[in-house]
Amino acid sequence: MTHQPKISFVSLGCPKALVDSERIITTLRAEGYELVKTHEGADAVIVNTCGFLDSAKAESLAAIGEALNKNGKVIVTGCMGAEPEQIRAVHADVLAITGPQAYESVVSAVHAVAPPAHDPYLDLVPAQGVKLTPRHYAYLKISEGCNNRCTFCIIPKLRGDLVSRPAAEVLREAEKLVKAGVKELLVISQDTSAYGVDLKYAASKWQDREVRAKFLDLSRELGSLGAWVRLHYVYPYPHVDEVIGLMADGLVLPYLDIPFQHASPTVLKAMRRPAAQDKTLDRIRRWREICPDLGIRSTFIVGFPGETEEDFELMLDFLKEARLERVGCFKYEAVKGAPANDLGLPPVPEEVKQTRWNRFMEAQQAISARRLQSRVGKRLKVIVDEPGPTVSRGRSQWDAPEIDGSVYVASRRPLRAGDIVTVKIERADAYDLHGIAV
């Protein structure tokens, strides 16, 4: 039999980059390439980079260096590839560099170093494509790029303006995933609630009907497929209210991932983010009236240039008022090329950033603990991620993989990854729940 070229793959960065990696790998597998876990002995190594923060760039450069040391034939893609001179300055020996979403260029670079040896008699790729996530959940990317111009972010520079996928194309992919055994669809983009605006919400044919490229319509159709549907990276636009109704009806999970980033109007204005804190709190109250089970996760930034103690206190007040279920916090890190560098605002000293981060996390930990404690004694649906002999680890409808908490499930019967079981919650700690399968 013809030798199958071997490719080693490193995927760094966010879930959107992971989807890019899956598309490249799917194409390579369809052409007969074998994916291997070690660089040694591979015909080439692909490194999908992250270029958002300096720390992420450093991780990407380190991964490229390791691949060069262990293999020598390295192809670089991803966000950092949008600025190839940064990579060449450190690693001049890489074979090729492409930017994000440049699937054909990556595959062409692979062909140049390791030509495909395709066997047309073998069906090498499943209908749903090759996935890097566990079999029971998958990321579903509905658009590329972003029309927002937040001053701390260079994503539009790296990935361009918003480009939405037609609704029918998204739904066909989702249907294939569900038929292949996926139990949870994690909907992602840079700005999920802006989906379709670039298409002017044009309809496309799905099964026996026309479906508009609109956040509400797409969410409703995804919810009809029988899998959990989890919505990420949603901005609090007014039309999101309509989707809360789908959550109340059980069509999509009562979970919203909204990157609020701050609560001080002054800082939000400098960030070029929506700055009406009172309206945001009113909207959260209204959402919880429509769907009492709603869980909200968010991320915030401390130490943005010009942030005062008063600004920070406003953020703590917002936390206490909003009572968000899951919250992450980042210390501001200057990004080369970001407009925030040119605002002329005074930087916040590192020790002040650290102190504020500590205070923020302490305040949120108390809120999260109270929210989790309210689940004790209740019966929740839990999806199993890691089965164990007596205790398995899973997630509730309020927990996304890798970023939120876990539910530890004691069970007398064996559980499998992807099982959705009813669990009686017996206790809670700061971040996780513990219960027994019933």
Side-chain angles (χ1 to χ4, degrees), residues 46-112:
I46 300 172
V47 181
N48 189 359
T49 58
C50 178
F52 185 48
L53 298 173
D54 287 346
S55 53
K57 291 178 181 177
E59 182 184 12
S60 295
L61 290 171
I64 295 166
E66 181 182 2
L68 283 169
N69 288 335
K70 292 184 176 179
N71 184 283
K73 292 171 286 187
V74 179
I75 297 161
V76 179
T77 186
C79 285
M80 198 173 177
E83 299 178 302
E85 64 281 355
Q86 295 186 52
I87 298 167
R88 294 278 185 202
V90 181
H91 300 300
D93 296 334
V94 296
L95 297 176
I97 300 175
T98 70
Q101 305 153 45
Y103 314 122
E104 292 181 5
S105 298
V106 176
V107 173
S108 295
V110 173
H111 289 171

Side-chain angles (χ1 to χ4, degrees), residues 31 43 64 93 103 130 132-133 140 194 203 226 285 334 336 356:
E31 293 185 348
D43 291 283
I64 295 166
D93 296 334
Y103 314 122
V130 177
L132 299 177
T133 49
L140 184 67
R285 292 188 196 99
K336 184 180 178 182
R356 288 178 182 169

Side-chain angles (χ1 to χ4, degrees), residues 107-348:
V107 173
S108 295
V110 173
H111 289 171
V113 66
H118 185 51
D119 184 346
Y121 299 104
L122 292 178
D123 182 9
L124 299 173
V125 180
Q128 75 275 13
V130 177
K131 294 295 167 187
L132 299 177
T133 49
R135 185 172 179 269
H136 60 283
Y137 68 81
Y139 293 104
L140 184 67
K141 184 155 59 169
I142 63 173
S143 65
E144 298 283 3
C146 185
N147 288 343
N148 297 306
R149 292 297 183 264
C150 303
T151 57
F152 55 81
C153 182
I154 58 171
I155 292 298
K157 180 181 176 183
L158 297 175
R159 290 185 169 258
D161 288 335
L162 178 74
V163 179
S164 302
R165 300 172 65 193
E169 182 183 311
V170 175
L171 290 166
R172 279 193 291 270
E173 180 181 347
E175 185 180 45
K176 287 178 183 177
L177 290 168
V178 173
K179 285 182 177 177
V182 167
K183 302 290 185 67
E184 180 180 12
L185 298 168
L186 298 111
V187 178
I188 58 168
S189 67
Q190 286 301 136
D191 182 358
T192 297
S193 37
Y195 169 71
V197 67
D198 57 307
L199 300 176
K200 297 182 180 175
Y201 309 119
S204 52
K205 184 121 177 127
W206 160 244
Q207 294 182 346
D208 59 348
R209 55 196 178 277
E210 296 284 322
V211 181
R212 293 183 302 171
K214 205 163 188 180
F215 184 42
L216 174 65
D217 301 56
L218 182 67
S219 299
R220 183 189 293 115
E221 295 294 342
L222 288 172
S224 71
L225 296 176
W228 281 13
V229 177
R230 190 180 300 279
L231 302 175
H232 285 278
Y233 315 123
V234 177
Y235 282 64
Y237 302 136
H239 68 267
V240 174
D241 297 8
E242 301 170 319
V243 176
I244 305 299
L246 300 181
M247 296 178 181
D249 294 339
L251 271 178
V252 300
L253 293 180
Y255 176 100
L256 276 181
D257 180 353
I258 305 177
F260 289 119
Q261 307 298 16
H262 215 283
S264 161
T266 303
V267 176
L268 287 169
K269 186 176 180 181
M271 289 179 168
R272 288 193 202 148
R273 303 281 293 181
Q277 176 191 350
D278 292 340
K279 288 184 180 178
T280 299
L281 287 170
D282 287 343
R283 183 158 285 133
I284 291 172
R285 292 188 196 99
R286 186 161 64 252
W287 289 345
R288 286 180 171 149
E289 288 170 2
I290 299 169
C291 181
D293 280 341
L294 177 65
I296 301 174
R297 103 164 310 276
S298 189
T299 51
F300 291 83
I301 296 171
V302 296
F304 188 81
E307 181 189 66
T308 65
E309 180 62 24
E310 182 183 1
D311 293 325
F312 177 71
E313 290 287 350
L314 282 172
M315 187 154 58
L316 291 184
D317 291 342
F318 178 87
L319 274 188
K320 292 167 186 173
E321 186 76 21
R323 295 177 295 113
L324 307 177
E325 277 71 15
R326 300 291 190 188
V327 171
C329 183
F330 300 92
K331 289 170 281 189
Y332 175 76
E333 185 179 323
V335 177
K336 184 180 178 182
N341 303 332
D342 303 320
L343 294 176
L345 296 170
V348 177

